[in-house]
Amino acid sequence: AGPRGPRAPQPPQQPQQGAPAAGGPLTAAALAAAPPGVQKQMLGEKLFPAISKFQPELAGKITGMMLEMDNSELLMLLDSEHQMRAKVDEAIRVLNVNG
């Protein structure tokens, strides 16, 4: 037996080492496998477009605020558009009070 061709096809290279494909959902397992500094970057890359749907002008600032939250909370927000909207609204209220 053995491989059918000269060599088995290689999967396409990921742009970031160890990071999930950009289009796929971010899982707790993928996050846990990443170093702590990379975890926030991975979350930020998912949060920013999700927040931009609700508040494009403030998405960068709100993403920064949310990245101070616990990673498990952020994963829940990414899973629930309803919770994400509520958190974005809360962040806007905070910005309006402190801004």
Side-chain angles (χ1 to χ4, degrees):
R4 270 188 244 140
R7 67 179 144 141
Q10 296 294 313
Q13 294 295 312
Q14 295 293 333
Q16 300 163 337
Q17 296 172 332
L26 185 57
T27 63
L31 201 61
V38 177
Q39 291 177 3
K40 290 295 185 184
Q41 179 185 344
M42 291 166 67
L43 284 163
E45 288 171 0
K46 294 292 182 182
L47 282 170
F48 184 82
I51 294 167
S52 294
K53 288 195 299 191
F54 305 118
Q55 251 332 304
E57 315 82 45
L58 296 171
K61 191 162 192 77
I62 294 171
T63 300
M65 291 169 67
M66 287 192 184
L67 284 173
E68 295 177 20
M69 295 166 54
D70 188 63
N71 288 0
S72 59
E73 270 189 275
L74 294 172
L75 283 172
M76 286 191 306
L77 288 179
L78 288 168
D79 280 344
S80 167
E81 193 165 306
H82 174 74
Q83 288 183 345
M84 177 65 77
R85 179 182 281 282
K87 191 55 80 171
V88 169
D89 290 344
E90 182 184 327
I92 291 165
R93 284 195 299 277
V94 169
L95 287 171
N96 286 338
V97 168
N98 297 334

